[in-house]
Amino acid sequence: MSTYQSELLCLLEERGYIHQITDPEGLDALAKQQVIPGYIGFDPTAPSLHIGSLVQIMMLRRLQEAGHKPIVVMGGGTGKIGDPSGRDESRRMMTDEIIADNVAGIFTVFERLLTFGDGPTDAVMVNNDEWLSKLGYIELLRDVGPHFTVNRMLTFDSVKLRLDREQPLTFLEFNYMILQAYDYRELAQRYGCRLQMGGSDQWGNIVNGMELARRMDGRELFGLTTPLLTTADGAKMGKTAAGAVWLNEAQLPNYDFWQYWRNVDDRDVGRFLRLFTDLPLDEIANLESLEGAEINHAKTVLANEVTALVRGRDAADSAEKTAAKTFAGGGAGEDLPSIDVGGEGMRIGAVLTGLGFTASGGEAKRKLAENAVKLDGMTVNDPSYLVEVAPSTERKLSLGKKKHAIIRR
């Protein structure tokens, strides 16, 4: 039985999204009384977000599902500085053109998961560069600066991490938390925003924004954070040995995206079904109860549902068919990643690294020595092996039991 009364907090609680709330009773009461505009910010540091951001996007989807208004904030302004939270080093500086291109790429995922429009619960996407770029430095120091103390800013984990490791934290990055706090105040004024959500590492930044709005405008705002999302083995969501698991197809093929979810740890299946799919909770409970080889059915359902939400149902169906053909029939489905070795061929290690199956030549050599690499079903362990392909033909490369690719000429 939920401890809350509002549809919003009941939904978030039963799906496992809630870590901290600044004023649970106050937010619960407000959610029963009115439509709450709520926001989450995303810095456009790449043409796509990765699955580490998916829980936040799903939070906005749940907000809309419960009858409230999602506000997607693209950090075109703050992205020029970079959030130091959870980072050991400074982000690279981006031009306006790069930021604009990244925002356009990122929007494609939000377009699938949220309903945008002009209605009271329709989602909107805004760019904080719209107001931050117009904010004069003297104005910021005079009006906003007095509400922050350096003493308190130094206690933030994002700052302490860098200072404790004696790694540089630029004055530019130090200002990030002030600008994010200003975002919340600005959104409250422009859109009546009452709720900011984010990961647990954003708690301090969220509270800063609430306090700034209260001190400057007398507004009562709320904050809600999700638990730190890690896999059952303690790894951070969104990262694999081969790199980030991107949400956009241009950065990661549909099949690879599907495979990530199909290969999750058995212990993560139920939790991920609640967080990342719209399946009813009773159906999830049934899938979660499966044991032994039957849990693979639940993993396939997870892979299909997440891929359908993020990439579209056609992408999910095609990836599942490719997997069935590859694993069950020993064939090579059309969605498998591919590489062209040209008429002169390519060394096996370079093929593995070129496909992203290994991160370096050294790792490729280790996999070959472990007899983990097969070409057309035959084990290859010679790093100098030259992979050649006859004209108008294909070959199948496998690394272990889960990574497969097509080699073309």
Side-chain angles (χ1 to χ4, degrees):
M1 180 67 68
S2 175
T3 56
Y4 301 109
Q5 301 295 317
S6 65
E7 181 183 354
L8 173 62
L9 292 190
C10 285
L11 177 62
L12 295 179
E13 181 183 45
E14 65 188 11
R15 290 271 177 176
Y17 292 98
I18 297 177
H19 177 57
Q20 291 175 291
I21 305 177
T22 53
D23 177 5
E25 294 80 11
L27 180 59
D28 196 30
L30 184 68
K32 288 181 64 179
Q33 296 169 4
Q34 67 174 69
V35 172
I36 297 179
Y39 97 93
I40 300 178
F42 302 86
D43 278 346
T45 55
S48 169
L49 299 173
H50 60 66
I51 62 169
S53 298
L54 187 55
V55 70
Q56 309 305 329
I57 302 174
M58 292 299 294
M59 282 266 283
L60 292 172
R61 184 177 175 86
R62 303 302 180 210
L63 184 74
Q64 190 167 50
E65 182 182 341
H68 301 280
K69 186 179 185 69
I71 302 173
V72 182
V73 177
M74 284 290 108
T78 45
K80 295 176 182 177
I81 295 175
D83 183 359
S85 300
R87 296 188 64 82
D88 293 338
E89 58 186 20
S90 301
R91 295 187 189 272
R92 65 181 179 86
M93 301 294 284
M94 297 184 295
T95 65
D96 290 341
E97 291 75 20
I98 291 175
I99 290 174
D101 288 344
N102 289 350
V103 169
I106 289 169
F107 180 69
T108 59
V109 171
F110 285 99
E111 206 171 19
R112 285 199 178 103
L113 291 165
L114 300 174
T115 300
F116 287 83
D118 299 323
T121 63
D122 286 341
V124 294
M125 178 177 279
V126 298
N127 191 326
N128 65 10
D129 192 51
E130 182 180 340
W131 54 83
L132 293 181
S133 63
K134 298 173 184 175
L135 190 62
Y137 186 59
I138 299 300
E139 176 189 0
L140 178 69
L141 289 177
R142 183 193 62 210
D143 298 339
V144 180
H147 301 289
F148 293 84
T149 65
V150 172
N151 311 60
R152 182 153 185 265
M153 293 166 77
L154 288 173
T155 67
F156 278 54
D157 289 341
S158 59
V159 175
K160 288 173 60 179
L161 175 68
R162 298 271 278 275
L163 296 182
D164 289 347
R165 296 180 179 178
E166 297 184 355
Q167 293 163 330
L169 177 73
T170 68
F171 179 70
L172 189 70
E173 293 173 292
F174 196 61
N175 277 270
Y176 185 95
M177 61 187 76
I178 297 177
L179 296 183
Q180 185 171 327
Y182 190 85
D183 278 350
Y184 199 178
R185 178 191 178 230
E186 186 72 22
L187 291 165
Q189 291 180 326
R190 292 188 179 213
Y191 300 98
C193 185
R194 300 291 301 274
L195 174 65
Q196 182 182 357
M197 301 181 291
S200 57
D201 62 333
Q202 293 297 315
W203 178 256
N205 287 332
I206 292 173
V207 171
N208 264 347
M210 292 170 51
E211 292 182 353
L212 182 64
R214 177 179 57 80
R215 290 170 180 168
M216 295 186 72
D217 308 316
R219 294 178 184 269
E220 181 188 14
L221 305 180
F222 299 90
L224 187 156
T225 61
T226 58
L228 176 66
L229 193 60
T230 58
T231 59
D233 59 5
K236 189 175 181 179
M237 279 288 289
K239 299 288 186 180
T240 68
V245 182
W246 299 103
L247 298 181
N248 287 18
E249 183 182 359
Q251 281 68 45
L252 184 72
N254 291 329
Y255 178 77
D256 290 346
F257 184 81
W258 187 93
Q259 275 290 112
Y260 174 83
W261 299 100
R262 172 58 183 79
N263 294 331
V264 299
D265 191 293
D266 293 0
R267 296 167 291 176
D268 287 326
V269 173
R271 183 165 58 109
F272 288 178
L273 283 167
R274 283 187 286 273
L275 289 172
F276 301 116
T277 80
D278 290 338
L279 292 178
L281 291 176
D282 56 351
E283 185 176 343
I284 291 174
N286 290 334
L287 290 167
E288 191 176 16
S289 67
L290 297 176
E291 297 179 353
E294 289 186 337
I295 195 67
N296 289 328
H297 169 64
K299 292 183 181 182
T300 298
V301 172
L302 172 66
N304 284 339
E305 292 301 312
V306 179
T307 304
L309 277 176
V310 177
R311 302 287 184 90
R313 182 59 66 181
D314 288 346
D317 291 344
S318 179
E320 184 182 13
K321 288 177 183 175
T322 292
K325 191 174 181 180
T326 301
F327 294 109
E334 61 184 18
D335 271 6
L336 289 180
S338 64
I339 189 170
D340 191 322
V341 298
E344 297 181 356
M346 188 181 293
R347 300 294 177 189
I348 187 71
V351 172
L352 290 166
T353 305
L355 285 164
F357 285 4
T358 54
S360 65
E363 184 185 356
K365 287 182 179 179
R366 288 194 297 274
K367 294 298 182 183
L368 288 162
E370 294 167 2
N371 293 325
V373 181
K374 290 187 177 181
L375 186 62
D376 296 327
M378 301 296 290
T379 299
V380 178
N381 51 29
D382 181 3
S384 64
Y385 183 88
L386 183 65
V387 180
E388 297 178 291
V389 181
S392 303
T393 63
E394 296 178 344
R395 303 185 73 178
K396 179 184 171 185
L397 178 74
S398 299
L399 175 60
K401 296 181 179 180
K402 296 179 179 179
K403 291 185 177 181
H404 307 274
I406 300 299
I407 304 175
R408 297 189 171 101
R409 175 175 172 179

